[in-house]
Amino acid sequence: MSERIATVTRDTKETQITVTVNLDGEGRLNCETGVPFLDHMLDQVARHGLIDLDIKAVGDLHIDDHHTVEDLGITLGQAFDQAVGDKRGIRRYGHAYVPLDEALSRVVVDFSGRPGLFMDVEFTRATIGRLDTQLFWEFFQGFVNHARVTLHIDNLKGFNAHHQAETIFKAFGRALRMAVEPDPRMAGQMPSTKGCL
């Protein structure tokens, strides 16, 4: 497979974001979003996905975190879509269960070309640090719409909201890693009976 790296910039009146993704990285994160807990979650994605992420985001945080979190999901999704290319030779599907103490989450992803988010998570707190937990849905919705993936996220157990979120993002990273991995038995082939994704 050729180099699977993409850089995308999103520049609006609300946010200025640049994301570089290396799908065949070592799990390194260089990240400045202005939203500390989001940075912590993106570190989980990079580390557990073995994906290098370079993220610079400036947003209207004086209003709230909404635009920054949502637009980061959009930009990250666009970068993934570009980096994965035509999807020939990848596994396409990825899944992971991740525990953290009392919390357990399952994430399943399909690089199907069909955006869809199915998220069953009831956070036990409205905020983690200063981050509104509703914004996780906005992040993942932005990602799936622009990465063109189907994504199922289920928090199966947990009463500590930090643990709930961390298991979700760790599982997300591991599911992405599995899905975009080259499959030696599918080398050069499209992982679909339709012949395209």
Side-chain angles (χ1 to χ4, degrees):
M1 282 191 168
S2 61
E3 201 170 60
R4 300 188 303 163
I5 299 173
T7 299
V8 173
T9 296
R10 179 179 175 85
D11 191 354
T12 73
K13 291 182 179 180
E14 298 169 338
T15 61
Q16 297 79 49
I17 298 173
T18 299
V19 172
T20 299
V21 170
N22 178 358
L23 299 182
D24 302 305
E26 299 175 352
R28 291 192 300 254
L29 175 73
N30 179 25
C31 183
E32 296 176 36
T33 68
V35 185
F37 191 75
L38 181 61
D39 291 353
H40 179 46
M41 292 300 97
L42 292 168
D43 193 24
Q44 307 308 318
V45 175
R47 186 79 47 103
H48 290 273
L50 288 180
I51 297 161
D52 290 345
L53 296 175
D54 195 329
I55 298 168
K56 176 68 174 173
V58 177
D60 53 2
L61 300 178
H62 60 285
I63 296 173
D64 72 3
D65 297 338
H66 188 119
H67 299 140
T68 300
V69 174
E70 179 181 22
D71 287 7
L72 183 53
I74 290 170
T75 312
L76 186 63
Q78 291 170 336
F80 261 84
D81 188 49
Q82 289 184 25
V84 80
D86 70 1
K87 303 171 189 165
R88 290 183 186 277
I90 67 167
R91 296 192 185 279
R92 174 181 167 179
Y93 300 99
H95 59 87
Y97 285 83
V98 170
L100 174 56
D101 298 341
E102 87 299 342
L104 173 66
S105 292
R106 174 183 61 217
V107 175
V108 183
V109 66
D110 175 11
F111 276 76
S112 60
R114 297 184 305 278
L117 175 62
F118 305 91
M119 188 169 173
D120 186 5
V121 180
E122 294 183 16
F123 284 104
T124 57
R125 289 177 50 200
T127 59
I128 305 172
R130 71 162 202 229
L131 183 60
D132 183 343
T133 55
Q134 290 181 327
L135 296 183
F136 293 124
W137 188 91
E138 300 291 345
F139 172 85
F140 287 116
Q141 185 67 66
F143 180 86
V144 301
N145 284 344
H146 294 271
R148 300 182 302 123
V149 300
T150 302
L151 182 64
H152 288 255
I153 300 172
D154 296 284
N155 175 237
L156 305 174
K157 296 179 181 179
F159 55 78
N160 180 303
H162 186 128
H163 292 173
Q164 289 176 291
E166 193 160 330
T167 57
I168 288 166
F169 277 85
K170 285 178 176 176
F172 179 56
R174 287 185 171 269
L176 289 173
R177 173 181 168 185
M178 180 186 292
V180 302
E181 268 185 340
D183 183 345
R185 296 182 65 196
M186 288 291 289
Q189 297 182 57
M190 186 64 66
S192 169
T193 54
K194 294 191 296 292
C196 65
L197 285 171

